[in-house]
CSV table of all heavy atoms in Angstrom, one decimal:
chain,number,residue,atom,x,y,z
A,116,PHE,N,-38.1,7.5,9.4
A,116,PHE,CA,-38.9,8.3,8.5
A,116,PHE,C,-40.0,7.5,7.8
A,116,PHE,O,-41.1,8.0,7.6
A,116,PHE,CB,-37.9,8.9,7.4
A,116,PHE,CG,-37.3,10.2,7.9
A,116,PHE,CD1,-36.1,10.2,8.7
A,116,PHE,CD2,-37.9,11.4,7.7
A,116,PHE,CE1,-35.6,11.3,9.2
A,116,PHE,CE2,-37.3,12.6,8.1
A,116,PHE,CZ,-36.1,12.5,8.9
A,117,ARG,N,-39.7,6.3,7.4
A,117,ARG,CA,-40.7,5.4,6.8
A,117,ARG,C,-41.8,5.1,7.8
A,117,ARG,O,-43.0,5.2,7.4
A,117,ARG,CB,-40.0,4.1,6.4
A,117,ARG,CG,-41.0,3.0,5.8
A,117,ARG,CD,-40.3,1.7,5.6
A,117,ARG,NE,-39.9,1.2,6.9
A,117,ARG,CZ,-39.0,0.2,7.1
A,117,ARG,NH1,-38.4,-0.3,6.1
A,117,ARG,NH2,-38.6,-0.2,8.3
A,118,ASP,N,-41.5,4.9,9.0
A,118,ASP,CA,-42.5,4.6,10.0
A,118,ASP,C,-43.4,5.9,10.3
A,118,ASP,O,-44.6,5.7,10.7
A,118,ASP,CB,-41.9,4.1,11.3
A,118,ASP,CG,-41.2,2.8,11.2
A,118,ASP,OD1,-41.5,2.1,10.2
A,118,ASP,OD2,-40.5,2.4,12.1
A,119,ALA,N,-42.8,7.0,10.1
A,119,ALA,CA,-43.5,8.3,10.3
A,119,ALA,C,-44.5,8.6,9.1
A,119,ALA,O,-45.3,9.6,9.2
A,119,ALA,CB,-42.6,9.4,10.5
A,120,GLY,N,-44.3,7.9,8.0
A,120,GLY,CA,-45.3,8.0,6.9
A,120,GLY,C,-44.6,8.4,5.5
A,120,GLY,O,-45.4,8.5,4.5
A,121,VAL,N,-43.3,8.5,5.5
A,121,VAL,CA,-42.7,8.7,4.2
A,121,VAL,C,-42.8,7.5,3.3
A,121,VAL,O,-42.5,6.4,3.8
A,121,VAL,CB,-41.2,9.1,4.4
A,121,VAL,CG1,-40.5,9.3,3.0
A,121,VAL,CG2,-41.1,10.4,5.2
A,122,GLN,N,-43.2,7.7,2.1
A,122,GLN,CA,-43.6,6.5,1.2
A,122,GLN,C,-42.3,5.9,0.6
A,122,GLN,O,-42.3,4.6,0.4
A,122,GLN,CB,-44.5,7.0,0.1
A,122,GLN,CG,-45.8,7.5,0.6
A,122,GLN,CD,-46.7,8.1,-0.5
A,122,GLN,OE1,-46.5,7.9,-1.7
A,122,GLN,NE2,-47.7,8.8,-0.1
A,123,ARG,N,-41.3,6.6,0.2
A,123,ARG,CA,-40.2,6.1,-0.5
A,123,ARG,C,-38.9,6.5,0.3
A,123,ARG,O,-38.6,7.7,0.4
A,123,ARG,CB,-40.2,6.6,-1.9
A,123,ARG,CG,-38.9,6.5,-2.7
A,123,ARG,CD,-38.6,5.0,-3.2
A,123,ARG,NE,-37.6,4.9,-4.1
A,123,ARG,CZ,-36.8,3.9,-4.3
A,123,ARG,NH1,-36.9,2.9,-3.5
A,123,ARG,NH2,-35.8,3.9,-5.2
A,124,VAL,N,-38.1,5.5,0.7
A,124,VAL,CA,-36.8,5.8,1.4
A,124,VAL,C,-35.8,5.0,0.8
A,124,VAL,O,-36.0,3.8,0.5
A,124,VAL,CB,-36.9,5.6,2.9
A,124,VAL,CG1,-37.9,6.6,3.6
A,124,VAL,CG2,-37.2,4.2,3.3
A,125,ILE,N,-34.6,5.5,0.6
A,125,ILE,CA,-33.4,4.8,0.1
A,125,ILE,C,-32.2,5.4,0.6
A,125,ILE,O,-32.1,6.6,0.8
A,125,ILE,CB,-33.4,4.7,-1.4
A,125,ILE,CG1,-32.4,3.7,-1.9
A,125,ILE,CG2,-33.2,6.1,-2.0
A,125,ILE,CD1,-32.5,3.4,-3.4
A,126,GLY,N,-31.2,4.6,0.9
A,126,GLY,CA,-29.9,5.1,1.5
A,126,GLY,C,-28.7,4.9,0.5
A,126,GLY,O,-28.8,4.1,-0.5
A,127,VAL,N,-27.7,5.7,0.8
A,127,VAL,CA,-26.4,5.5,0.1
A,127,VAL,C,-25.4,5.3,1.2
A,127,VAL,O,-25.3,6.1,2.2
A,127,VAL,CB,-26.0,6.8,-0.7
A,127,VAL,CG1,-24.6,6.7,-1.2
A,127,VAL,CG2,-27.0,7.0,-1.8
A,128,GLU,N,-24.6,4.2,1.2
A,128,GLU,CA,-23.7,3.8,2.3
A,128,GLU,C,-22.5,3.0,1.7
A,128,GLU,O,-22.7,2.1,1.1
A,128,GLU,CB,-24.5,3.0,3.3
A,128,GLU,CG,-23.7,2.4,4.4
A,128,GLU,CD,-22.9,3.4,5.2
A,128,GLU,OE1,-23.5,4.5,5.5
A,128,GLU,OE2,-21.7,3.1,5.5
A,129,PRO,N,-21.3,3.5,2.1
A,129,PRO,CA,-20.1,2.8,1.6
A,129,PRO,C,-19.7,1.6,2.5
A,129,PRO,O,-18.9,0.7,2.0
A,129,PRO,CB,-19.0,3.9,1.7
A,129,PRO,CG,-19.5,4.8,2.8
A,129,PRO,CD,-21.0,4.8,2.7
A,130,GLY,N,-20.2,1.5,3.7
A,130,GLY,CA,-19.8,0.5,4.6
A,130,GLY,C,-20.5,-0.9,4.4
A,130,GLY,O,-21.7,-0.9,4.4
A,131,ASN,N,-19.7,-1.9,4.2
A,131,ASN,CA,-20.3,-3.2,3.9
A,131,ASN,C,-21.2,-3.7,5.0
A,131,ASN,O,-22.3,-4.2,4.8
A,131,ASN,CB,-19.2,-4.3,3.7
A,131,ASN,CG,-18.3,-4.0,2.5
A,131,ASN,OD1,-18.7,-3.5,1.5
A,131,ASN,ND2,-17.0,-4.3,2.6
A,132,ALA,N,-20.7,-3.6,6.3
A,132,ALA,CA,-21.4,-4.1,7.4
A,132,ALA,C,-22.7,-3.3,7.6
A,132,ALA,O,-23.8,-3.9,7.9
A,132,ALA,CB,-20.6,-4.0,8.7
A,133,SER,N,-22.7,-2.0,7.4
A,133,SER,CA,-23.9,-1.2,7.6
A,133,SER,C,-24.9,-1.5,6.5
A,133,SER,O,-26.1,-1.5,6.9
A,133,SER,CB,-23.5,0.3,7.5
A,133,SER,OG,-22.6,0.7,8.6
A,134,VAL,N,-24.6,-1.7,5.3
A,134,VAL,CA,-25.5,-2.0,4.2
A,134,VAL,C,-26.2,-3.3,4.6
A,134,VAL,O,-27.5,-3.5,4.4
A,134,VAL,CB,-24.8,-2.1,2.9
A,134,VAL,CG1,-25.8,-2.7,1.8
A,134,VAL,CG2,-24.3,-0.8,2.4
A,135,GLU,N,-25.5,-4.3,5.1
A,135,GLU,CA,-26.1,-5.6,5.4
A,135,GLU,C,-27.0,-5.5,6.6
A,135,GLU,O,-28.1,-6.0,6.6
A,135,GLU,CB,-24.9,-6.6,5.8
A,135,GLU,CG,-25.4,-8.0,6.0
A,135,GLU,CD,-25.8,-8.3,7.4
A,135,GLU,OE1,-25.2,-7.7,8.3
A,135,GLU,OE2,-26.7,-9.2,7.6
A,136,ILE,N,-26.6,-4.7,7.6
A,136,ILE,CA,-27.5,-4.5,8.8
A,136,ILE,C,-28.8,-3.8,8.4
A,136,ILE,O,-29.9,-4.1,8.9
A,136,ILE,CB,-26.7,-3.8,9.9
A,136,ILE,CG1,-25.6,-4.7,10.4
A,136,ILE,CG2,-27.7,-3.4,11.0
A,136,ILE,CD1,-24.6,-4.0,11.4
A,137,ALA,N,-28.7,-2.8,7.6
A,137,ALA,CA,-29.8,-2.0,7.1
A,137,ALA,C,-30.9,-2.8,6.5
A,137,ALA,O,-32.1,-2.7,6.8
A,137,ALA,CB,-29.4,-0.9,6.2
A,138,LYS,N,-30.5,-3.8,5.7
A,138,LYS,CA,-31.5,-4.7,5.1
A,138,LYS,C,-32.0,-5.7,6.0
A,138,LYS,O,-33.2,-6.0,6.1
A,138,LYS,CB,-30.8,-5.3,3.8
A,138,LYS,CG,-31.8,-6.2,3.0
A,138,LYS,CD,-32.9,-5.3,2.4
A,138,LYS,CE,-33.8,-6.2,1.5
A,138,LYS,NZ,-34.9,-5.4,1.0
A,139,ARG,N,-31.1,-6.3,6.8
A,139,ARG,CA,-31.5,-7.4,7.6
A,139,ARG,C,-32.3,-7.0,8.8
A,139,ARG,O,-33.3,-7.6,9.2
A,139,ARG,CB,-30.2,-8.2,8.1
A,139,ARG,CG,-30.5,-9.2,9.2
A,139,ARG,CD,-29.3,-10.1,9.4
A,139,ARG,NE,-28.1,-9.3,9.7
A,139,ARG,CZ,-27.8,-8.8,10.9
A,139,ARG,NH1,-28.6,-9.0,11.9
A,139,ARG,NH2,-26.6,-8.1,11.1
A,140,VAL,N,-31.9,-5.9,9.5
A,140,VAL,CA,-32.6,-5.4,10.7
A,140,VAL,C,-33.8,-4.5,10.4
A,140,VAL,O,-34.9,-4.7,11.0
A,140,VAL,CB,-31.6,-4.7,11.6
A,140,VAL,CG1,-32.3,-4.2,12.9
A,140,VAL,CG2,-30.5,-5.6,12.0
A,141,TYR,N,-33.7,-3.6,9.4
A,141,TYR,CA,-34.7,-2.6,9.1
A,141,TYR,C,-35.4,-2.7,7.8
A,141,TYR,O,-36.3,-2.0,7.5
A,141,TYR,CB,-34.2,-1.2,9.3
A,141,TYR,CG,-33.6,-1.0,10.7
A,141,TYR,CD1,-32.2,-0.9,10.9
A,141,TYR,CD2,-34.4,-0.8,11.8
A,141,TYR,CE1,-31.7,-0.6,12.1
A,141,TYR,CE2,-33.9,-0.6,13.0
A,141,TYR,CZ,-32.5,-0.5,13.2
A,141,TYR,OH,-32.0,-0.3,14.5
A,142,ASP,N,-35.0,-3.7,6.9
A,142,ASP,CA,-35.5,-3.8,5.6
A,142,ASP,C,-35.4,-2.5,4.8
A,142,ASP,O,-36.3,-2.1,4.1
A,142,ASP,CB,-37.0,-4.3,5.6
A,142,ASP,CG,-37.4,-4.8,4.2
A,142,ASP,OD1,-36.6,-5.3,3.5
A,142,ASP,OD2,-38.7,-4.7,4.0
A,143,ILE,N,-34.3,-1.9,4.9
A,143,ILE,CA,-33.9,-0.6,4.2
A,143,ILE,C,-33.0,-1.0,3.1
A,143,ILE,O,-31.9,-1.6,3.3
A,143,ILE,CB,-33.3,0.4,5.1
A,143,ILE,CG1,-34.4,0.9,6.2
A,143,ILE,CG2,-32.8,1.6,4.3
A,143,ILE,CD1,-35.6,1.6,5.6
A,144,ASP,N,-33.3,-0.6,1.9
A,144,ASP,CA,-32.5,-0.8,0.7
A,144,ASP,C,-31.4,0.4,0.6
A,144,ASP,O,-31.8,1.5,0.8
A,144,ASP,CB,-33.3,-0.8,-0.6
A,144,ASP,CG,-34.2,-2.1,-0.7
A,144,ASP,OD1,-33.7,-3.1,-0.3
A,144,ASP,OD2,-35.3,-1.9,-1.1
A,145,CYS,N,-30.2,0.0,0.3
A,145,CYS,CA,-29.1,1.0,0.2
A,145,CYS,C,-28.4,0.8,-1.1
A,145,CYS,O,-28.2,-0.3,-1.5
A,145,CYS,CB,-28.1,0.9,1.4
A,145,CYS,SG,-28.8,1.2,3.0
A,146,ILE,N,-28.0,1.9,-1.7
A,146,ILE,CA,-27.0,1.9,-2.8
A,146,ILE,C,-25.6,1.8,-2.1
A,146,ILE,O,-25.2,2.6,-1.3
A,146,ILE,CB,-27.1,3.1,-3.6
A,146,ILE,CG1,-28.5,3.3,-4.2
A,146,ILE,CG2,-26.1,3.1,-4.7
A,146,ILE,CD1,-28.8,4.6,-4.8
A,147,HIS,N,-24.9,0.7,-2.4
A,147,HIS,CA,-23.6,0.5,-1.8
A,147,HIS,C,-22.6,1.3,-2.6
A,147,HIS,O,-21.9,0.9,-3.5
A,147,HIS,CB,-23.2,-1.0,-1.9
A,147,HIS,CG,-22.0,-1.3,-1.1
A,147,HIS,ND1,-21.2,-2.5,-1.3
A,147,HIS,CD2,-21.3,-0.6,-0.1
A,147,HIS,CE1,-20.2,-2.5,-0.5
A,147,HIS,NE2,-20.2,-1.4,0.2
A,148,SER,N,-22.4,2.5,-2.1
A,148,SER,CA,-21.5,3.5,-2.8
A,148,SER,C,-21.2,4.6,-1.9
A,148,SER,O,-21.7,4.7,-0.8
A,148,SER,CB,-22.2,4.0,-4.1
A,148,SER,OG,-21.4,4.9,-4.8
A,149,SER,N,-20.3,5.5,-2.3
A,149,SER,CA,-19.9,6.6,-1.5
A,149,SER,C,-20.7,7.9,-1.9
A,149,SER,O,-21.4,7.9,-2.9
A,149,SER,CB,-18.4,6.9,-1.7
A,149,SER,OG,-18.2,7.4,-3.1
A,150,ALA,N,-20.6,8.9,-1.1
A,150,ALA,CA,-21.3,10.1,-1.3
A,150,ALA,C,-20.8,10.8,-2.6
A,150,ALA,O,-21.5,11.5,-3.3
A,150,ALA,CB,-21.1,11.1,-0.2
Side-chain angles (χ1 to χ4, degrees):
F116 276 86
R117 180 190 59 200
D118 294 347
V121 175
Q122 297 174 15
R123 166 74 168 148
V124 297
I125 190 167
V127 174
E128 172 57 41
N131 298 324
S133 294
V134 170
E135 188 273 329
I136 292 169
K138 185 63 177 177
R139 173 169 51 82
V140 177
Y141 300 109
D142 195 27
I143 294 294
D144 292 321
C145 297
I146 300 168
H147 187 200
S148 184
S149 67

